[in-house]
Amino acid sequence: MHSRHPEIDPQSLSETDEQRELRTVLRDFFTETSGPEDVRKQLATPRGHDEALWARLAGEIGVHGLAIPEEYGGSGFTFAELAVALEESGRALYCAPLLPTVVLAAFALLNSGDRQACARHLPRIADGTLTATVAGFDDTEPGIGAEDGASGWVLRGAADFVLDGAGADLIVVRAQTPHGARLFACEPTTGTCVRTPHRVLDETRRQARVEFRGAPATPVGESGEVTATLDAGRAALAAEQVGGSGHALEATVEFVAQRRQFGRPIGSFQAVKHRLADVLVALEAARSASAYATVCVATASLQLPVAASAAAAVCSETFRLATAEYVQLHGGIGFTWEHPAHLYVRRARSGEALFGTADQNRARLAELVALVPRSAA
């Protein structure tokens, strides 16, 4: 049973001077390089993002290595600094695979405790030369099996809707062995790994079906435990959603202050004020939930499962509300393909399905705090 009382120092929920400086640098960077037209251009490229921009983000600002220890080529900061980068990337709708690479794959390696695997892969993640993802972490899928043959371990089976599955250089796979689940590192090769891109709602976050047909793999760690990694993913996604919600609210407030009707700005109408106030209240709640989950990841708190599920539920619903008002309060122009609002709507709706829906995370939260018996959820 998890304690109902937070164990986090309230001071740690506030941004440090370094984090504020990082936010300023990243906001300027994304404003310059990842505007709506830039995003559309990047979506048309083979990898779905600007690879030169990805290298700059890793090399000039060091985003990829923020939460990676110095011994593995990172900066040795914490998830709190990485969350700032994720929030700003969500605000700008940056479409490179930050979430699967620097959160899911990197934390899967770190959480495995396998120093050899970390030393092999994390330096390349930190310097931006390696993109990575995870597969088989969802227990609802048929699963992937691993066989230990004469020439080493090989993987067989398939995983669907793998983030950046068609392009990632490394896949951290959770596979079943005769002795239970275990993690493996697989560098996909043609013939033994068939990757089929999906046409998905949110084109800024590519997904694919990955089929392993005797793909060579290297064991990582001793177990297949992935709960902490998935909770880090929930916290990371929540930070992105806070950033996207913030953009939607700011853009809408700016628009209603300029758009005039009946001789006055539409933002002066009471009904419009109420709707924007509802978004602001929801956004402040989402910021709090995200900040708490972020600190729990950064400090490896026992409260992480509770904080991560709470943030997942609150932040996904806030993003959905903020983007709905983004479209509605822009009137007719908000419904056009030319306006960036629809890109944010797609990101919001797609994100609702990652790491469990809001209802699924509420059910998990109820179990964790013992509101309902585990078997009843």
Side-chain angles (χ1 to χ4, degrees), residues 173-192:
V173 183
R174 183 174 183 261
Q176 294 295 326
T177 74
H179 305 290
R182 191 171 181 181
L183 294 182
F184 294 86
C186 174
E187 298 185 42
T189 57
T190 303
T192 61

Side-chain angles (χ1 to χ4, degrees), residues 353-374:
L354 291 178
F355 312 118
T357 64
D359 285 344
Q360 288 170 332
N361 276 291
R362 283 196 181 91
R364 180 185 185 227
L365 187 58
E367 288 184 1
L368 290 169
V369 299
L371 288 179
V372 296
R374 185 170 299 273

Side-chain angles (χ1 to χ4, degrees), residues 315-348:
C315 296
S316 65
E317 291 192 338
T318 296
F319 197 14
R320 182 174 185 173
L321 171 65
T323 54
E325 296 294 16
Y326 191 7
V327 171
Q328 292 286 336
L329 292 178
H330 272 77
I333 192 174
F335 288 87
T336 64
W337 291 114
E338 291 76 18
H339 197 275
H342 81 89
L343 294 172
Y344 285 85
V345 170
R346 287 169 175 243
R347 173 67 72 88

